[in-house]
Amino acid sequence: MRGNDFLDKMELADPVFVEAADMIPSTKKRGHIRWGLLVACICLLMGTVTAMAVSGFGTKVIDFFTSRTEPGSDYSESGFTLSVEIEKIPVAELKGKIREVPAYIKAQFASYKPHMSWYPGHWQKTFESRNDAYDYIGFDGLKRLDWDLEEGQTTLNVLGERNGEILSVMVETHYTVGDIRLQFSSDIYTENANDEITTGAVTTEYVEFTESFYTTKNNKVLHVIEGTALESGYMGMDGYLVENGVLYTLHIAHLEKDTEQAKELLHQWADLF
């Protein structure tokens, strides 16, 4: 993954969701995290390690930080960073029309000029449904969930190298349930992504974080990170589950009054795996 993937995610987020939650999910390689590793609660880390040991793949807390400020700067941020243990997928297993994308990415690099406002290596396409995006990818390991929620916009994002090699693939779908905003992401990392993978979120506001685990009906472990309320009144709830080489994430922005409903939606989603 490239070092600016964190910023890529911020640019790709739907403005409606950003305004509601101001908590931007991100995925990047650990080598480009600029923050120092803070000491986290030992009991939380032990619980995470246990969860990963059961499944073989999963997420683990690297860092929780609240109003952290760089030396000599007035800028502060709150967020969390998780390491992701996941199977890297051979590009040959992506059998859909996504096989045409490397040519588009190579063309981006060939036409790019330093003065341009965009950066090559990112290709995006929107679809009418999540299943349509999955068909375009053509990876058998993607789980098609029979979730009884009306889908909003679905976007496919592909990151690639100058030679066109695909590094990662992400499908993101938005949902709205009353005042609750949901973002469902499926991330695939290919054998070309050689660096350690991390994921997380960041905001400029004061937020504290806690983690917990939920065991699904099929005995899978869902890693849950919750944050306190932002000035807007919205709170963040994120669930992470790794299966068959795919990182599935559900980000929920909700008001305090809707906390129990948000948890029910998160558990409902996880129980579909």
Side-chain angles (χ1 to χ4, degrees):
M1 301 288 289
R2 300 195 314 273
N4 65 337
D5 290 346
F6 193 84
L7 296 178
D8 289 341
K9 284 273 189 166
M10 294 180 66
E11 294 168 357
L12 296 174
D14 189 313
V16 173
F17 286 77
V18 175
E19 181 179 355
D22 191 34
M23 198 68 192
I24 313 303
S26 67
T27 304
K28 57 187 181 300
K29 65 180 181 181
R30 183 177 178 184
H32 287 269
I33 300 175
R34 69 180 187 277
W35 314 298
L37 181 61
L38 299 183
V39 178
C41 176
I42 293 176
C43 62
L44 294 181
L45 291 176
M46 288 178 65
T48 309
V49 171
T50 301
M52 292 181 65
V54 171
S55 64
F57 297 106
T59 53
K60 180 174 68 174
V61 171
I62 293 176
D63 197 5
F64 286 147
F65 47 95
T66 298
S67 293
R68 184 166 60 192
T69 303
E70 293 284 352
S73 173
D74 295 330
Y75 175 83
S76 65
E77 57 193 5
S78 302
F80 60 91
T81 308
L82 310 178
S83 65
V84 181
E85 294 295 330
I86 190 169
E87 179 184 0
K88 303 294 180 61
I89 302 301
V91 173
E93 293 190 21
L94 310 181
K95 301 176 182 178
K97 290 186 177 180
I98 196 172
R99 298 176 71 88
E100 301 171 355
V101 173
Y104 302 144
I105 292 177
K106 289 175 67 175
Q108 286 181 354
F109 280 98
S111 62
Y112 176 73
K113 305 296 181 184
H115 65 272
M116 293 180 172
S117 60
W118 56 277
Y119 189 82
H122 167 235
W123 183 87
Q124 184 180 82
K125 181 178 177 65
T126 58
F127 293 86
E128 293 186 1
S129 72
R130 171 167 283 266
N131 282 337
D132 287 345
Y134 281 6
D135 289 340
Y136 190 92
I137 297 168
F139 175 54
D140 293 338
L142 283 163
K143 182 79 171 181
R144 297 176 186 255
L145 305 186
D146 187 17
W147 201 14
D148 189 22
L149 288 184
E150 183 177 352
E151 293 184 358
Q153 178 175 294
T154 291
T155 306
L156 169 65
N157 295 284
V158 181
L159 296 181
E161 297 279 33
R162 179 179 295 275
N163 61 4
E165 289 184 343
I166 294 176
L167 297 173
S168 66
V169 178
M170 180 186 74
V171 177
E172 183 177 75
T173 303
H174 291 174
Y175 306 84
T176 302
V177 179
D179 292 326
I180 301 174
R181 307 288 187 263
L182 306 96
Q183 294 170 266
F184 172 19
S185 300
S186 303
D187 291 84
I188 298 169
Y189 303 92
T190 74
E191 78 267 40
N192 300 318
N194 296 319
D195 297 294
E196 183 178 356
I197 304 300
T198 67
T199 188
V202 67
T203 178
T204 57
E205 294 189 29
Y206 181 97
V207 179
E208 296 179 347
F209 300 92
T210 58
E211 76 168 345
S212 60
F213 300 93
Y214 170 72
T215 302
T216 72
K217 293 179 178 179
N218 294 316
N219 292 319
K220 301 181 186 298
V221 177
L222 177 74
H223 191 187
V224 182
I225 307 294
E226 296 181 67
T228 54
L230 301 165
E231 292 179 2
S232 65
Y234 273 86
M235 310 170 74
M237 182 182 300
D238 294 87
Y240 299 89
L241 192 152
V242 174
E243 182 178 74
N244 295 329
V246 184
L247 170 64
Y248 297 100
T249 305
L250 185 65
H251 172 68
I252 304 178
H254 64 93
L255 298 171
E256 185 173 5
K257 68 180 179 66
D258 296 322
T259 298
E260 289 306 312
Q261 185 181 6
K263 287 184 179 179
E264 290 176 4
L265 287 167
L266 180 62
H267 294 171
Q268 180 188 93
W269 171 80
D271 284 335
L272 295 174
F273 287 92

